[in-house]
Amino acid sequence: MGTIKKGILGGFSGKVGSVVGASWKSIDYIRSLPASVRNPRTPAQVNQRSKFATVIKFLTKFTPILNIGFRNFANNQTAINAAMSYHIHNAVIGQDGEYEIDYEKVMISRGPLYKPLLCEAMIDNGEIAIGWDPKPLANGSSDDYAIVLLYNKTKDEVIVDVNGETRSRGYTGVDFHDHWLGDELEVYIGFVSDDGKLISDSMYMGCFKLPDA
């Protein structure tokens, strides 16, 4: 109910019908009521929330590597938010609220640093071994170092290496857990300049089935 403060021609406070009376710095004014809020759980909103939940559940397992790999995109946002934005728009598949990660589109780093021309991974004596052409190209340097993510999609666990070997070494190896034997791993590698200022787009090295125990 509204209250008249200065007679019938004066101001009023409260709600009367579809308008609201109020005062600001001794100035009386009225405004119309806002339109009723539409249902915030429209299909489009539910889908977007489902995509967000799928991506955040995946990315939160390896935020340390994303803080490095997406730091060049953290101008008006955090590196994690930049990674979220990329993966929501590029690395989610599915429809009608049922979504999953497209592992081939996942990136642990993004940037202009040149990647090696040749890069291959294999399972070797209890580790994932990744080798590459050690010759630096364009803005690359022999001192660039590798960052690696092993994602165990069978157990939903990760191993992160943010201090891999230098580009000049042409090789880095990451040990996996014994209890991972028999599981499937998604493997990614990126490169970072020695001063941390330049970062490469990461490379998807493939899905590897570990030998049984």
Side-chain angles (χ1 to χ4, degrees), residues 74-90:
N75 297 323
N76 298 310
Q77 60 183 330
T78 66
I80 299 304
N81 284 345
M84 282 289 301
S85 178
Y86 166 80
H87 287 87
I88 286 174
H89 288 95
N90 299 281

Side-chain angles (χ1 to χ4, degrees), residues 63-80:
T63 53
I65 207 167
L66 297 175
N67 281 326
I68 296 172
F70 279 78
R71 66 167 56 137
N72 285 348
F73 292 82
N75 297 323
N76 298 310
Q77 60 183 330
T78 66
I80 299 304

Side-chain angles (χ1 to χ4, degrees), residues 58 87 90-93 100-107 188:
F58 178 65
H87 287 87
N90 299 281
V92 178
I93 53 177
E100 61 184 29
I101 298 297
D102 183 349
Y103 296 111
E104 293 188 19
K105 299 292 182 62
V106 167
M107 298 189 75
Y188 308 86

Side-chain angles (χ1 to χ4, degrees), residues 2-163:
T3 301
I4 297 175
K5 296 189 294 182
K6 300 178 183 177
I8 195 168
L9 299 178
F12 71 91
S13 64
K15 182 174 71 172
V16 177
S18 62
V19 297
V20 175
S23 177
W24 178 74
K25 292 185 177 182
S26 300
I27 300 173
D28 298 317
Y29 68 93
I30 63 172
R31 60 180 174 83
S32 62
L33 287 171
S36 61
V37 177
R38 297 179 61 188
N39 180 5
R41 295 186 62 81
T42 64
Q45 289 170 320
V46 170
N47 282 339
Q48 189 66 12
R49 290 170 188 169
S50 181
K51 282 184 179 181
F52 183 89
T54 299
V55 170
I56 196 67
K57 180 177 182 292
F58 178 65
L59 296 187
T60 50
K61 296 174 179 63
F62 48 93
T63 53
I65 207 167
L66 297 175
N67 281 326
I68 296 172
F70 279 78
R71 66 167 56 137
N72 285 348
F73 292 82
N75 297 323
N76 298 310
Q77 60 183 330
T78 66
I80 299 304
N81 284 345
M84 282 289 301
S85 178
Y86 166 80
H87 287 87
I88 286 174
H89 288 95
N90 299 281
V92 178
I93 53 177
Q95 59 184 357
D96 299 331
E98 298 294 328
Y99 296 103
E100 61 184 29
I101 298 297
D102 183 349
Y103 296 111
E104 293 188 19
K105 299 292 182 62
V106 167
M107 298 189 75
I108 63 170
S109 62
R110 294 186 69 198
L113 182 64
Y114 266 62
K115 301 175 290 188
L117 285 179
L118 300 174
C119 196
E120 297 180 342
M122 62 181 294
I123 302 170
D124 181 31
N125 194 28
E127 70 175 13
I128 296 295
I130 307 175
W132 57 83
D133 183 348
K135 181 181 179 181
L137 300 171
N139 61 354
S141 167
S142 297
D143 295 327
D144 300 336
Y145 65 93
I147 55 176
V148 179
L149 169 68
L150 309 183
Y151 173 66
N152 183 327
K153 66 181 183 182
T154 306
K155 289 187 168 66
D156 195 26
E157 297 175 351
V158 303
I159 293 176
V160 170
D161 183 4
V162 295
N163 294 292

Side-chain angles (χ1 to χ4, degrees), residues 175-192:
D175 294 335
F176 51 79
H177 302 304
D178 290 340
H179 72 273
W180 279 15
L181 290 174
D183 296 344
E184 290 187 341
L185 308 187
E186 304 285 354
V187 179
Y188 308 86
I189 186 171
F191 288 84
V192 182

